[in-house]
Amino acid sequence: MPDLNKRRQLTETVRAICAWLVALLLFFPIFWMVLTSFKTELGAFSMPPSFLFTPTLENYREILERNNYLHFALNSLLTSGGATLLGMLVSVPAAYAFAFHPGERTQGTLMWMLSTKMLPGVGVLVPIYLLARFTGLLDTRFLLIIVFALVNLPIMVWMIYTYFRDIPRDILEAARMDGATTAQEIYRVLLPVSRGGLASTALLALILNWNEAFWSLNLTTTQAAPLSALVASFSSPEGLFWARLSAISTLACAPILVLGWGSQKQLVRGLTFGAVK
Amino acid sequence: MREAAEPSSRAGRLTAAPAILMLFAWMIVPLVMTLYFSTQYYNLLYPGRTKFVGLENFTYFFTYPSFLTSIVNTLLLVGSVLVITVVFGVLISVLVDAKFPGQGIVRMLLISPFFIMPTVSALVWKNLLMNPVSGLFAWVFQLVGLTPINWFSDWPLLSIILIVAWEWLPFAILIFVTSLQSMDQEQKEAAQMDGATPVAIFRHLTLPHLARPIAVVVMVESIFLLNVFAEIFTTTGGGPGDATTNLPFLIFTQALLEFDVGAASAGGLVAVVLANLVAVFLLRLIGKSLTHA
């Protein structure tokens, strides 16, 4: 019996070591990016790569001074924030209708919404681009806000619907008996009890909008370009400054990474529409 | 009862209307325009010379040398990333399922790549890791006495697949780990008592339990993987040649680099049809389990 225990302990240890190794391996590119951001440009290129070096904040200073980082960061913040807000304003009422007033066509409508998410961006890129050019909205934050909101609307409706579905209907019916209007029903009763679900929906939308690159790259040049587009500009040969690229990348990813860590549990529920618990 | 139900369903219709109308416009307006443009000769460089050409754009697009390559690349990319993320996702999730010191930190590290911007992860992999001269991989290869691989010239599609798989593996892990937590522990212990091997437990208990999460992962990832763009845009630009050109990238080059709106629209419709085939297949597969959860 003690022998068996010993063997069990050994497998547990091996297992823990393997888990740590896999995790460190998968995380390594991010670690390496952050590390490189504190090197000099020369140090970033050096072979063999330096693991021990005197860290410098030069790259960060340079980005803030020369690369107009704040302009792009502001664009990211305004477009992803604005799109999230717009998305919430439209998807909360829709989810309310689907969850509490389902009709014969509700399931079909929900499925149709999800299918529009499968509509590939490239399939509609040309007309959207031409419409934007025609209306003079090309390279404006306004356009990105509308597009981001529409692209993620199906997922937002689904997520909120998933949360609403679990709320007992009696609560709303009681409010209605007391003479509450639909708007009062939503704002006085529904929103307070589903605050957590709404927050994680908004969070997920924010993450998706912040990282979005396809529409940002194709619909903006400089005025409205968010961070994802700024980073992409480093792919050109003249943009090859690894240390600075790493610093910009670190600044662009850090807020979302922290948000993601804090909300991983809710993300599962949201991203799988509650189908995985 | 009918009268009582009447106002509430009106409220339902009214509150759902904005979302439905917006999505409908988002879908139908560009689609109709794409349909129209696809029958026109329309080059942005010569905007005055628009004319109806019937199905010529489609024959042009279908016989375009890069077309077949781009379809094959699209399917290879989606397929390999799905296989990699599901297989390794399951294995890693089972590995980190049991309690061990630092489990919380390990999970945080594991899911991190999912939150990294596609443009960032592509550039970090390309420049800091896969660079054949001063990338970290080259150094590791030299350390063990191997010739460094010139990733993006010699294995361009594989390089893209590795980057995209790295981005999506965390998503699979996130879903599977969550699902494993709801597994029936008593059943597992009973099986262990009966002398079932870990492999048998994995095959007969864990895998069946993960069937639905796997289906969900396949569906959600397919939606995003069919549209991979930024990773290709920032690393290979579709090349060398058309080695890493997928359907989205091919249409992008037609529309915004060659300004051929007609051909790009025809290509866009092909992409829509392809996505719908996948969508119908996937929704049939697991749509029911989503709405009746």
Side-chain angles (χ1 to χ4, degrees), chain B residues 220-244:
Chain B
V220 174
E221 282 191 15
S222 301
I223 297 175
F224 288 92
L225 293 177
L226 277 171
N227 291 307
V228 165
F229 175 80
E231 292 84 346
I232 297 172
F233 179 85
T234 42
T235 55
T236 62
D242 51 16
T244 53

Side-chain angles (χ1 to χ4, degrees), chain B:
Chain B
M1 273 327 266
R2 262 195 87 107
E3 285 85 347
E6 208 36 41
S8 76
S9 76
R10 215 182 102 236
R13 274 202 300 275
L14 276 178
T15 47
I20 293 176
L21 288 178
M22 277 169 74
L23 266 184
F24 189 69
W26 170 245
M27 186 190 71
I28 210 73
V29 172
L31 218 51
V32 169
M33 282 174 77
T34 309
L35 208 59
Y36 170 74
F37 287 139
S38 69
T39 64
Q40 300 285 314
Y41 171 82
Y42 186 6
N43 192 304
L44 286 178
L45 294 179
Y46 318 100
R49 276 194 254 157
T50 324
K51 69 166 197 281
F52 180 77
V53 291
L55 295 178
E56 216 171 273
N57 284 318
F58 287 92
T59 45
Y60 169 76
F61 196 81
F62 283 129
T63 53
Y64 194 68
S66 301
F67 170 68
L68 262 186
T69 320
S70 75
I71 295 276
V72 172
N73 286 345
T74 307
L75 295 177
L76 271 177
L77 179 67
V78 175
S80 348
V81 174
L82 280 180
V83 170
I84 294 174
T85 54
V86 167
V87 170
F88 285 96
V90 168
L91 292 179
I92 293 174
S93 313
V94 171
L95 182 70
V96 301
D97 185 41
K99 285 240 177 308
F100 61 88
Q103 192 184 34
I105 300 172
V106 161
R107 285 192 189 164
M108 257 165 75
L109 295 178
L110 281 175
I111 60 159
S112 298
F114 185 58
F115 303 114
I116 301 297
M117 253 176 218
T119 48
V120 165
S121 63
L123 283 176
V124 165
W125 275 77
K126 183 193 183 188
N127 295 323
L128 302 184
L129 302 176
M130 287 174 159
N131 186 292
V133 180
S134 46
L136 200 81
F137 289 177
W139 174 69
V140 173
F141 271 70
Q142 274 170 349
L143 269 190
V144 293
L146 292 170
T147 321
I149 298 176
N150 196 345
W151 287 93
F152 287 100
S153 335
D154 295 344
W155 302 95
L157 191 61
L158 177 69
S159 307
I160 302 279
I161 289 173
L162 284 178
I163 296 173
V164 177
W166 177 76
E167 291 174 341
W168 284 95
L169 181 56
F171 173 69
I173 295 174
L174 188 64
I175 306 295
F176 296 152
V177 162
T178 310
S179 166
L180 284 179
Q181 283 168 347
S182 71
M183 225 174 114
D184 190 350
Q185 291 304 317
E186 279 173 30
Q187 205 181 7
K188 213 170 122 186
E189 274 158 27
Q192 274 169 339
M193 289 295 214
D194 292 344
T197 62
V199 177
I201 292 178
F202 177 76
R203 249 200 76 191
H204 298 292
L205 290 180
T206 312
L207 270 189
H209 179 79
L210 287 177
R212 188 150 105 163
I214 288 175
V216 170
V217 165
V218 168
M219 189 185 85
V220 174
E221 282 191 15
S222 301
I223 297 175
F224 288 92
L225 293 177
L226 277 171
N227 291 307
V228 165
F229 175 80
E231 292 84 346
I232 297 172
F233 179 85
T234 42
T235 55
T236 62
D242 51 16
T244 53
T245 298
N246 65 352
L247 200 52
F249 203 83
L250 180 66
I251 298 163
F252 162 78
T253 52
Q254 292 289 326
L256 295 189
L257 299 183
E258 296 184 24
F259 304 109
D260 190 340
V261 175
S265 299
L269 287 175
V270 175
V272 171
V273 170
L274 182 73
N276 273 295
L277 286 178
V278 176
V280 167
F281 174 72
L282 289 171
L283 288 179
R284 277 265 167 83
L285 201 67
I286 57 167
K288 274 234 157 61
S289 72
L290 283 184
T291 44
H292 296 94

Side-chain angles (χ1 to χ4, degrees), chain A residues 33-34 36-38 57-61 63 69 241-253:
Chain A
M33 167 184 90
V34 177
T36 307
S37 75
F38 292 110
L57 284 174
E58 189 51 38
N59 302 308
Y60 288 94
R61 186 161 40 220
I63 290 165
Y69 167 84
F241 294 99
W242 291 3
R244 215 185 307 164
L245 162 72
S246 302
I248 286 190
S249 302
T250 305
L251 283 179
C253 293

